[in-house]
Amino acid sequence: MRLGAHTSIAGGISQAISRAHADGGRSLQVFTRSARGWTSPPLLEAEALSFRRQARAGALAPIAHGSYLVNLATEDPLLRERSVSAVVDELQRCAALAIPSLVLHPGSHPDVRTGLRRVARALDDIHARTPGLRPRVCLEVTAGQGNCLGWRLEHLEEILLRASSPSRLGICLDTCHLFAAGYDVSTRPGMTAVLDESIRRFGLRRIRCFHLNDSVGPLGCRKDRHAEVGHGAMGLRGFRALVNDERFRHTPAVLETPRPDRYRATLRRLQSLVQGPRPRPQRAPAG
Ligand SMILES: [Zn+2]
């Protein structure tokens, strides 16, 4: 895996690159604009160029996370239009920054079936407004807090089935959210089973990124509270299985915990779980 962390864009988005390097990352996640407001100053071309150049030079795989205000399932027409416009703007910023994936929580709605249908329609609107744009929305599995959709893998599959352009969509798996939603990814067999199920439902190539977080709450708590890897209810066994899974050898996987000063140590810890390639069994000489 290409391990990294969600990195601050304070002082300009290009500043995130040196922070990611300092943490020892091979990937990073950024917001492409303020995550807590509907408006944000335009992205300057010089800033975008600097980000692209530095990311390429440093062999860093960037991903982006969308605004927390967005709700693609909402029944409120004003919030829906704002949400669709915000995602369109973020996808355009991703294109300018050469970021291939924009991670998005599907949305929230009291009725699951209605909500999932509305998310698919909103994604169709977003795609209609961004013809030919390369970056993909990656739907993130959620912890299932409140009315949040997307806490069952079936929910994400349903959105893909209903969307008109599923080839323009990806998936992001968050370990804390899976665990909080009731998927026991704290063991090797548990993690492997969830990865197998995800590949069966979505296809390997659609799973474009991971969020590596431990969970403060226990299995199935339906609470979205991230703990540092190895410091929550999950322990390290599931993480060891994940970081050694050959199928995701090149996939970006980022920490999303509240202590950036701990990123470097946590990335080292995860790196230490990676086993070297197994020696090939020697064939007995013929004859
Ligand atoms: Zn996440």
Side-chain angles (χ1 to χ4, degrees), residues 106-188:
S108 79
H109 194 285
D111 182 73
V112 171
R113 289 193 67 82
T114 309
L116 295 175
R117 266 203 299 271
R118 295 190 67 84
V119 174
R121 288 293 79 78
L123 288 167
D124 287 349
D125 288 354
I126 289 162
H127 289 149
R129 291 193 205 178
T130 54
L133 211 64
R134 292 187 67 174
R136 291 191 202 173
V137 167
C138 288
L139 300 166
E140 180 174 1
V141 68
T142 66
Q145 192 159 313
N147 289 328
C148 279
L149 306 164
W151 60 281
R152 301 293 309 166
L153 298 176
E154 293 91 324
H155 293 180
L156 303 181
E157 189 180 23
E158 173 92 13
I159 295 170
L160 292 176
L161 287 170
R162 289 187 174 277
S164 302
S165 306
S167 63
R168 295 185 65 183
L169 294 169
I171 296 289
C172 173
L173 297 177
D174 182 310
T175 51
C176 165
H177 296 176
L178 285 166
F179 189 74
Y183 292 95
D184 190 359
V185 288
S186 68
T187 65
R188 170 179 281 276

Side-chain angles (χ1 to χ4, degrees), residues 7-22 28-33 43-56 58 60 62 93 96-97 99:
T7 306
S8 164
I9 58 166
I13 197 162
S14 67
Q15 302 294 313
I17 302 282
S18 56
R19 292 186 184 114
H21 276 306
L28 79 163
Q29 177 175 273
V30 289
F31 293 123
T32 63
R33 51 183 240 174
L43 175 66
L44 300 175
E45 176 48 30
E47 189 62 9
L49 180 66
S50 170
F51 182 92
R52 292 198 306 267
R53 278 199 181 140
Q54 290 185 67
R56 199 179 325 120
L60 279 168
R93 286 170 187 250
L97 295 160
I99 298 178

